[in-house]
Amino acid sequence: MFRGVVITILTLAIVGTAVWGYQEHREKNAILINAENNYQRSFHDLAYKMDLLHDEIGNTLAMNSRKSLSPALADVWRLTSEAHTDVGQLPLTLLPFNKTEEFLTNVGNFSYRTSVRDLDKQPLTDQEYATLKKLYSQSQNIQDELRNVQHMVLKNHLRWMDVEMALANGKEATDNTIIDGFKTVEKTVKGYDQTNLNNVSNVSFQKRDDQYKNVKGKQISKNEAINIAKKYAGINKVKHATVSKNGKGANFDFYSVTLLDQTGNEISTDITRKGGYPIWLINKRAIGKQKISLNKAATQAQHFLNAHQFEHMEMFESSQYDTVGVFSFVTVQNGVRIYPEAIKMKIALDNGQIIGFAADDFVKSHYKRSLPKPSISEKEARSKVNPKLQIKESHLAIIVGDLGKEVLCYEFLGTLDNDTYRIFVNAQTGNEEKVEKLKDTEQIYGSSI
């Protein structure tokens, strides 16, 4: 009997130790996964901010109005601050990256000091315009190098925790794609002739938090949310589905749904509990070789919107990133484009499946508007545009102005050098409201072509 008790105690001790070890292992893995996710988010945010920074600097080159130029330069300043934050959250403390950070500081300093002065009394000088063009070119080089690193990270499923371990152990000289990529970025920036300016404190800019006041319909259940998610993902059967309500304190109620399809791919989406409208959807599957054209994918995107009761939508922008087509649609009411009601979609060019869907702006802003009449003619509005631009087409459009209110504008699509811009001129006052640089055809990174 004593022997049986001892065996039982030893068995329980072994089981307890195993359970404790398993829990320790799970907790350690959870910490590592959380750190890896944070690093991945910061890196991809950095690459995205550099895209925006390059475009925003380009926008300033096309602007003709001092009123537009000041907020645009303030946006450049904001983006440099956000990019600084993203760099600071990467495990690069042991890797020299000071030249890139110095470049961001100099861009921020220049844009700040230019944006806060009275540009009507002290307009941009020829030298400052030349500086902007130089910054535009330099930001393009950094953008390209970061995109190459991003391509390799995604293609080879690289982990930032390996970077942290390599740097901590002094093994950065070994073959590490991420470290090598950031050294290339740093080397690219090192040759720039930068002007040292006095440091300026960063200021946080915060976007207005819109309410989902225009959403209509009945409250849906969790099962209905899963079915809506399956419909938008284009799948009938799933291995597993989870759904949860959003936490307290949010301005609207939604379900977060995660699906695993039959091949194990994960699809995530948020769906409004009122009306069952998709806010966003991401299908995280691998994408094969391109089999359909960008034009065919655009047609499929239009059919998808029509089939899901998104009516009177018109595509206004499309681009291709490797084997993914990206399309932007906007509502058209009585011939006027309603830009607050925009929808963006990503389509896999291997089989035409929807792998990304962002309808947040549409869900927030969709309603029947009473549209105002223009106070100035299109010819008068056209005269307000930078004469260096070659205008290719024009439309009437509603956009959200700097004060957060909707404004009727004349929209002009034009080219300057090798870039294409969209210019919005207020149809009541003739002021230049906004300038946007359109995306070029995306370079395929990692290709020798």
Side-chain angles (χ1 to χ4, degrees), residues 197-241:
L197 302 174
N198 294 327
N199 288 330
V200 181
S201 301
N202 292 324
V203 174
S204 174
F205 288 75
Q206 194 169 20
K207 292 184 178 179
R208 180 171 54 94
D209 189 15
D210 290 310
Q211 303 285 338
Y212 284 67
K213 61 183 179 182
N214 297 314
V215 176
K216 297 179 180 178
K218 66 178 184 65
Q219 294 285 333
I220 65 168
S221 66
K222 288 186 176 182
N223 285 335
E224 287 175 313
I226 291 173
N227 289 330
I228 291 170
K230 288 163 62 177
K231 182 177 72 169
Y232 276 88
I235 55 178
N236 295 318
K237 296 181 179 179
V238 295
K239 278 186 176 181
H240 183 66

Short mmCIF file of all heavy atoms in Angstrom, two decimals, residues 197-241:
data_model
loop_
_atom_site.label_atom_id
_atom_site.label_comp_id
_atom_site.label_asym_id
_atom_site.label_seq_id
_atom_site.Cartn_x
_atom_site.Cartn_y
_atom_site.Cartn_z
N LEU A 197 19.28 71.71 -39.16
CA LEU A 197 18.36 72.73 -38.66
C LEU A 197 18.16 72.51 -37.17
O LEU A 197 18.42 71.44 -36.64
CB LEU A 197 17.01 72.63 -39.39
CG LEU A 197 17.06 72.78 -40.92
CD1 LEU A 197 15.69 72.51 -41.50
CD2 LEU A 197 17.52 74.17 -41.30
N ASN A 198 17.67 73.55 -36.51
CA ASN A 198 17.41 73.41 -35.08
C ASN A 198 16.27 72.44 -34.86
O ASN A 198 15.29 72.42 -35.59
CB ASN A 198 17.01 74.78 -34.48
CG ASN A 198 18.19 75.74 -34.54
OD1 ASN A 198 19.34 75.35 -34.42
ND2 ASN A 198 17.88 77.02 -34.73
N ASN A 199 16.41 71.61 -33.83
CA ASN A 199 15.37 70.64 -33.53
C ASN A 199 14.08 71.34 -33.11
O ASN A 199 14.09 72.37 -32.46
CB ASN A 199 15.82 69.70 -32.40
CG ASN A 199 16.88 68.74 -32.87
OD1 ASN A 199 16.90 68.39 -34.05
ND2 ASN A 199 17.77 68.34 -31.97
N VAL A 200 12.98 70.73 -33.51
CA VAL A 200 11.66 71.27 -33.19
C VAL A 200 10.86 70.17 -32.52
O VAL A 200 10.91 69.02 -32.93
CB VAL A 200 10.94 71.74 -34.46
CG1 VAL A 200 9.59 72.32 -34.12
CG2 VAL A 200 11.78 72.79 -35.20
N SER A 201 10.15 70.50 -31.47
CA SER A 201 9.35 69.50 -30.78
C SER A 201 8.26 68.96 -31.69
O SER A 201 7.66 69.69 -32.46
CB SER A 201 8.70 70.11 -29.52
OG SER A 201 9.69 70.59 -28.66
N ASN A 202 8.03 67.64 -31.59
CA ASN A 202 6.97 67.03 -32.38
C ASN A 202 5.62 67.27 -31.73
O ASN A 202 5.48 67.26 -30.52
CB ASN A 202 7.22 65.51 -32.49
CG ASN A 202 8.46 65.21 -33.30
OD1 ASN A 202 8.74 65.90 -34.27
ND2 ASN A 202 9.19 64.18 -32.91
N VAL A 203 4.64 67.47 -32.55
CA VAL A 203 3.28 67.68 -32.08
C VAL A 203 2.40 66.58 -32.62
O VAL A 203 2.52 66.18 -33.76
CB VAL A 203 2.73 69.06 -32.53
CG1 VAL A 203 1.28 69.21 -32.16
CG2 VAL A 203 3.54 70.18 -31.89
N SER A 204 1.51 66.05 -31.81
CA SER A 204 0.62 64.99 -32.25
C SER A 204 -0.60 65.57 -32.95
O SER A 204 -1.26 66.46 -32.43
CB SER A 204 0.18 64.16 -31.04
OG SER A 204 -0.78 63.21 -31.41
N PHE A 205 -0.88 65.03 -34.12
CA PHE A 205 -2.09 65.42 -34.85
C PHE A 205 -3.09 64.28 -34.71
O PHE A 205 -2.74 63.13 -34.93
CB PHE A 205 -1.78 65.63 -36.34
CG PHE A 205 -0.99 66.87 -36.62
CD1 PHE A 205 0.37 66.93 -36.34
CD2 PHE A 205 -1.60 67.98 -37.17
CE1 PHE A 205 1.10 68.07 -36.60
CE2 PHE A 205 -0.86 69.12 -37.44
CZ PHE A 205 0.49 69.17 -37.16
N GLN A 206 -4.34 64.60 -34.40
CA GLN A 206 -5.34 63.56 -34.19
C GLN A 206 -6.51 63.78 -35.13
O GLN A 206 -7.04 64.88 -35.24
CB GLN A 206 -5.83 63.57 -32.74
CG GLN A 206 -6.60 62.32 -32.36
CD GLN A 206 -6.84 62.27 -30.87
OE1 GLN A 206 -6.77 63.28 -30.19
NE2 GLN A 206 -7.15 61.11 -30.36
N LYS A 207 -6.91 62.70 -35.81
CA LYS A 207 -8.04 62.81 -36.73
C LYS A 207 -9.36 62.85 -35.97
O LYS A 207 -9.50 62.30 -34.89
CB LYS A 207 -8.06 61.61 -37.70
CG LYS A 207 -6.89 61.62 -38.68
CD LYS A 207 -7.01 60.48 -39.66
CE LYS A 207 -5.88 60.50 -40.67
NZ LYS A 207 -5.96 59.38 -41.62
N ARG A 208 -10.34 63.47 -36.61
CA ARG A 208 -11.67 63.54 -36.00
C ARG A 208 -12.29 62.14 -35.95
O ARG A 208 -12.20 61.38 -36.90
CB ARG A 208 -12.54 64.47 -36.87
CG ARG A 208 -13.96 64.65 -36.37
CD ARG A 208 -14.61 65.75 -37.18
NE ARG A 208 -14.52 65.51 -38.60
CZ ARG A 208 -15.47 64.90 -39.30
NH1 ARG A 208 -16.54 64.44 -38.69
NH2 ARG A 208 -15.33 64.71 -40.60
N ASP A 209 -12.88 61.79 -34.83
CA ASP A 209 -13.48 60.47 -34.66
C ASP A 209 -14.94 60.52 -35.06
O ASP A 209 -15.78 61.04 -34.34
CB ASP A 209 -13.34 60.03 -33.19
CG ASP A 209 -13.74 58.59 -32.98
OD1 ASP A 209 -13.86 57.87 -33.98
OD2 ASP A 209 -13.95 58.20 -31.82
N ASP A 210 -15.26 60.00 -36.24
CA ASP A 210 -16.62 60.07 -36.76
C ASP A 210 -17.51 59.03 -36.10
O ASP A 210 -17.10 57.91 -35.80
CB ASP A 210 -16.62 59.84 -38.28
CG ASP A 210 -16.00 61.01 -39.02
OD1 ASP A 210 -16.39 62.14 -38.74
OD2 ASP A 210 -15.12 60.76 -39.87
N GLN A 211 -18.76 59.38 -35.92
CA GLN A 211 -19.77 58.45 -35.43
C GLN A 211 -20.39 57.72 -36.62
O GLN A 211 -20.42 58.23 -37.73
CB GLN A 211 -20.87 59.21 -34.67
CG GLN A 211 -20.37 60.04 -33.51
CD GLN A 211 -20.00 59.21 -32.32
OE1 GLN A 211 -20.47 58.09 -32.18
NE2 GLN A 211 -19.16 59.73 -31.45
N TYR A 212 -20.91 56.52 -36.37
CA TYR A 212 -21.58 55.75 -37.42
C TYR A 212 -23.09 56.07 -37.37
O TYR A 212 -23.92 55.19 -37.26
CB TYR A 212 -21.34 54.26 -37.20
CG TYR A 212 -19.96 53.81 -37.60
CD1 TYR A 212 -18.83 54.24 -36.91
CD2 TYR A 212 -19.77 52.97 -38.69
CE1 TYR A 212 -17.56 53.83 -37.27
CE2 TYR A 212 -18.49 52.57 -39.07
CZ TYR A 212 -17.40 53.00 -38.35
OH TYR A 212 -16.14 52.60 -38.72
N LYS A 213 -23.38 57.38 -37.47
CA LYS A 213 -24.76 57.81 -37.28
C LYS A 213 -25.66 57.49 -38.46
O LYS A 213 -26.89 57.49 -38.32
CB LYS A 213 -24.79 59.33 -37.01
CG LYS A 213 -24.22 60.16 -38.16
CD LYS A 213 -24.20 61.63 -37.81
CE LYS A 213 -23.61 62.46 -38.96
NZ LYS A 213 -23.53 63.89 -38.61
N ASN A 214 -25.09 57.22 -39.64
CA ASN A 214 -25.90 56.97 -40.83
C ASN A 214 -26.22 55.50 -41.04
O ASN A 214 -26.92 55.16 -42.00
CB ASN A 214 -25.18 57.51 -42.08
CG ASN A 214 -24.99 59.01 -42.03
OD1 ASN A 214 -25.91 59.74 -41.70
ND2 ASN A 214 -23.78 59.47 -42.32
N VAL A 215 -25.72 54.62 -40.17
CA VAL A 215 -25.98 53.19 -40.33
C VAL A 215 -27.43 52.87 -40.01
O VAL A 215 -27.96 53.29 -38.97
CB VAL A 215 -25.04 52.36 -39.42
CG1 VAL A 215 -25.38 50.89 -39.51
CG2 VAL A 215 -23.59 52.60 -39.81
N LYS A 216 -28.09 52.13 -40.90
CA LYS A 216 -29.49 51.76 -40.71
C LYS A 216 -29.63 50.24 -40.75
O LYS A 216 -28.78 49.54 -41.29
CB LYS A 216 -30.36 52.40 -41.79
CG LYS A 216 -30.36 53.92 -41.75
CD LYS A 216 -31.21 54.49 -42.88
CE LYS A 216 -31.19 56.02 -42.83
NZ LYS A 216 -31.98 56.63 -43.93
N GLY A 217 -30.73 49.74 -40.19
CA GLY A 217 -31.01 48.31 -40.23
C GLY A 217 -31.20 47.73 -38.84
O GLY A 217 -31.02 48.40 -37.83
N LYS A 218 -31.53 46.42 -38.81
CA LYS A 218 -31.78 45.75 -37.53
C LYS A 218 -30.49 45.21 -36.93
O LYS A 218 -29.46 45.10 -37.61
CB LYS A 218 -32.77 44.59 -37.75
CG LYS A 218 -32.21 43.46 -38.60
CD LYS A 218 -33.23 42.34 -38.73
CE LYS A 218 -32.65 41.14 -39.51
NZ LYS A 218 -31.53 40.48 -38.82
N GLN A 219 -30.56 44.90 -35.64
CA GLN A 219 -29.40 44.29 -34.97
C GLN A 219 -29.25 42.85 -35.45
O GLN A 219 -30.23 42.11 -35.56
CB GLN A 219 -29.61 44.31 -33.45
CG GLN A 219 -29.64 45.69 -32.84
CD GLN A 219 -28.25 46.31 -32.74
OE1 GLN A 219 -27.26 45.61 -32.64
NE2 GLN A 219 -28.20 47.64 -32.75
N ILE A 220 -28.03 42.44 -35.78
CA ILE A 220 -27.80 41.08 -36.24
C ILE A 220 -27.20 40.24 -35.13
O ILE A 220 -26.62 40.76 -34.17
CB ILE A 220 -26.87 41.05 -37.49
CG1 ILE A 220 -25.47 41.56 -37.12
CG2 ILE A 220 -27.47 41.85 -38.63
CD1 ILE A 220 -24.43 41.31 -38.19
N SER A 221 -27.35 38.91 -35.26
CA SER A 221 -26.81 37.98 -34.27
C SER A 221 -25.38 37.58 -34.65
O SER A 221 -24.88 37.91 -35.73
CB SER A 221 -27.68 36.73 -34.21
OG SER A 221 -27.60 36.02 -35.45
N LYS A 222 -24.73 36.83 -33.76
CA LYS A 222 -23.37 36.35 -34.05
C LYS A 222 -23.37 35.41 -35.24
O LYS A 222 -22.46 35.46 -36.09
CB LYS A 222 -22.78 35.66 -32.81
CG LYS A 222 -22.42 36.61 -31.67
CD LYS A 222 -21.71 35.87 -30.55
CE LYS A 222 -21.26 36.84 -29.46
NZ LYS A 222 -20.52 36.14 -28.37
N ASN A 223 -24.36 34.52 -35.32
CA ASN A 223 -24.43 33.60 -36.45
C ASN A 223 -24.64 34.35 -37.76
O ASN A 223 -24.06 33.98 -38.79
CB ASN A 223 -25.57 32.59 -36.25
CG ASN A 223 -25.22 31.52 -35.22
OD1 ASN A 223 -24.03 31.23 -35.01
ND2 ASN A 223 -26.22 30.93 -34.59
N GLU A 224 -25.46 35.39 -37.73
CA GLU A 224 -25.65 36.20 -38.94
C GLU A 224 -24.35 36.89 -39.34
O GLU A 224 -24.03 37.00 -40.53
CB GLU A 224 -26.75 37.23 -38.71
CG GLU A 224 -28.16 36.64 -38.67
CD GLU A 224 -29.21 37.68 -38.31
OE1 GLU A 224 -29.00 38.43 -37.33
OE2 GLU A 224 -30.25 37.74 -39.01
N ALA A 225 -23.56 37.34 -38.35
CA ALA A 225 -22.27 37.98 -38.64
C ALA A 225 -21.33 36.99 -39.33
O ALA A 225 -20.61 37.35 -40.28
CB ALA A 225 -21.65 38.51 -37.36
N ILE A 226 -21.32 35.73 -38.87
CA ILE A 226 -20.47 34.71 -39.49
C ILE A 226 -20.90 34.48 -40.94
O ILE A 226 -20.06 34.39 -41.85
CB ILE A 226 -20.53 33.39 -38.69
CG1 ILE A 226 -19.84 33.58 -37.33
CG2 ILE A 226 -19.89 32.24 -39.48
CD1 ILE A 226 -19.99 32.39 -36.40
N ASN A 227 -22.20 34.40 -41.19
CA ASN A 227 -22.71 34.18 -42.55
C ASN A 227 -22.37 35.35 -43.47
O ASN A 227 -22.03 35.16 -44.64
CB ASN A 227 -24.22 33.94 -42.52
CG ASN A 227 -24.59 32.60 -41.91
OD1 ASN A 227 -23.81 31.64 -42.00
ND2 ASN A 227 -25.74 32.51 -41.29
N ILE A 228 -22.46 36.58 -42.93
CA ILE A 228 -22.10 37.76 -43.73
C ILE A 228 -20.61 37.73 -44.06
O ILE A 228 -20.19 38.02 -45.19
CB ILE A 228 -22.46 39.05 -42.97
CG1 ILE A 228 -23.99 39.20 -42.87
CG2 ILE A 228 -21.86 40.29 -43.66
CD1 ILE A 228 -24.44 40.31 -41.94
N ALA A 229 -19.79 37.35 -43.08
CA ALA A 229 -18.35 37.26 -43.30
C ALA A 229 -18.03 36.23 -44.39
O ALA A 229 -17.19 36.48 -45.27
CB ALA A 229 -17.64 36.90 -42.00
N LYS A 230 -18.70 35.09 -44.35
CA LYS A 230 -18.49 34.05 -45.37
C LYS A 230 -18.90 34.55 -46.75
O LYS A 230 -18.21 34.28 -47.75
CB LYS A 230 -19.27 32.79 -45.00
CG LYS A 230 -18.68 32.04 -43.81
CD LYS A 230 -19.66 31.04 -43.20
CE LYS A 230 -20.08 29.96 -44.17
NZ LYS A 230 -20.97 28.97 -43.52
N LYS A 231 -19.99 35.30 -46.80
CA LYS A 231 -20.48 35.82 -48.09
C LYS A 231 -19.46 36.79 -48.70
O LYS A 231 -19.14 36.70 -49.89
CB LYS A 231 -21.83 36.52 -47.89
CG LYS A 231 -22.44 37.04 -49.19
CD LYS A 231 -23.81 37.66 -48.96
CE LYS A 231 -23.70 38.98 -48.23
NZ LYS A 231 -24.99 39.72 -48.21
N TYR A 232 -18.93 37.70 -47.88
CA TYR A 232 -17.98 38.68 -48.41
C TYR A 232 -16.63 38.05 -48.70
O TYR A 232 -15.90 38.51 -49.59
CB TYR A 232 -17.82 39.85 -47.43
CG TYR A 232 -18.90 40.88 -47.60
CD1 TYR A 232 -20.11 40.78 -46.92
CD2 TYR A 232 -18.74 41.95 -48.48
CE1 TYR A 232 -21.11 41.70 -47.10
CE2 TYR A 232 -19.74 42.89 -48.66
CZ TYR A 232 -20.93 42.76 -47.97
OH TYR A 232 -21.92 43.68 -48.16
N ALA A 233 -16.27 36.98 -47.97
CA ALA A 233 -15.01 36.28 -48.23
C ALA A 233 -15.11 35.36 -49.44
O ALA A 233 -14.09 34.90 -49.95
CB ALA A 233 -14.59 35.49 -47.00
N GLY A 234 -16.35 35.09 -49.88
CA GLY A 234 -16.55 34.23 -51.05
C GLY A 234 -16.32 32.76 -50.76
O GLY A 234 -15.87 32.01 -51.64
N ILE A 235 -16.62 32.31 -49.54
CA ILE A 235 -16.45 30.90 -49.18
C ILE A 235 -17.76 30.38 -48.58
O ILE A 235 -18.51 31.11 -47.94
CB ILE A 235 -15.29 30.69 -48.19
CG1 ILE A 235 -15.47 31.56 -46.94
CG2 ILE A 235 -13.96 30.99 -48.86
CD1 ILE A 235 -14.38 31.34 -45.91
N ASN A 236 -18.01 29.06 -48.80
CA ASN A 236 -19.24 28.45 -48.29
C ASN A 236 -19.01 27.67 -47.00
O ASN A 236 -19.84 27.69 -46.10
CB ASN A 236 -19.84 27.51 -49.35
CG ASN A 236 -20.29 28.26 -50.59
OD1 ASN A 236 -20.88 29.33 -50.50
ND2 ASN A 236 -20.00 27.70 -51.76
N LYS A 237 -17.87 26.96 -46.94
CA LYS A 237 -17.58 26.12 -45.78
C LYS A 237 -16.31 26.61 -45.09
O LYS A 237 -15.36 27.05 -45.75
CB LYS A 237 -17.42 24.66 -46.20
CG LYS A 237 -18.69 24.05 -46.78
CD LYS A 237 -18.46 22.60 -47.15
CE LYS A 237 -19.74 21.97 -47.70
NZ LYS A 237 -19.52 20.54 -48.09
N VAL A 238 -16.30 26.50 -43.76
CA VAL A 238 -15.12 26.88 -42.99
C VAL A 238 -14.79 25.78 -41.99
O VAL A 238 -15.66 25.02 -41.56
CB VAL A 238 -15.35 28.21 -42.23
CG1 VAL A 238 -15.53 29.36 -43.21
CG2 VAL A 238 -16.53 28.12 -41.27
N LYS A 239 -13.51 25.69 -41.66
CA LYS A 239 -13.08 24.74 -40.64
C LYS A 239 -13.48 25.21 -39.25
O LYS A 239 -13.87 24.42 -38.39
CB LYS A 239 -11.55 24.59 -40.69
CG LYS A 239 -11.02 23.64 -41.73
CD LYS A 239 -9.51 23.49 -41.56
CE LYS A 239 -8.94 22.48 -42.53
NZ LYS A 239 -7.47 22.32 -42.35
N HIS A 240 -13.35 26.52 -39.07
CA HIS A 240 -13.58 27.07 -37.72
C HIS A 240 -13.98 28.54 -37.85
O HIS A 240 -13.56 29.23 -38.78
CB HIS A 240 -12.30 26.96 -36.90
CG HIS A 240 -12.44 27.43 -35.49
ND1 HIS A 240 -13.24 26.81 -34.56
CD2 HIS A 240 -11.89 28.51 -34.84
CE1 HIS A 240 -13.16 27.45 -33.40
NE2 HIS A 240 -12.35 28.49 -33.56
N ALA A 241 -14.83 28.99 -36.95
CA ALA A 241 -15.25 30.39 -36.95
C ALA A 241 -15.35 30.88 -35.51
O ALA A 241 -15.87 30.17 -34.64
CB ALA A 241 -16.60 30.55 -37.65
#
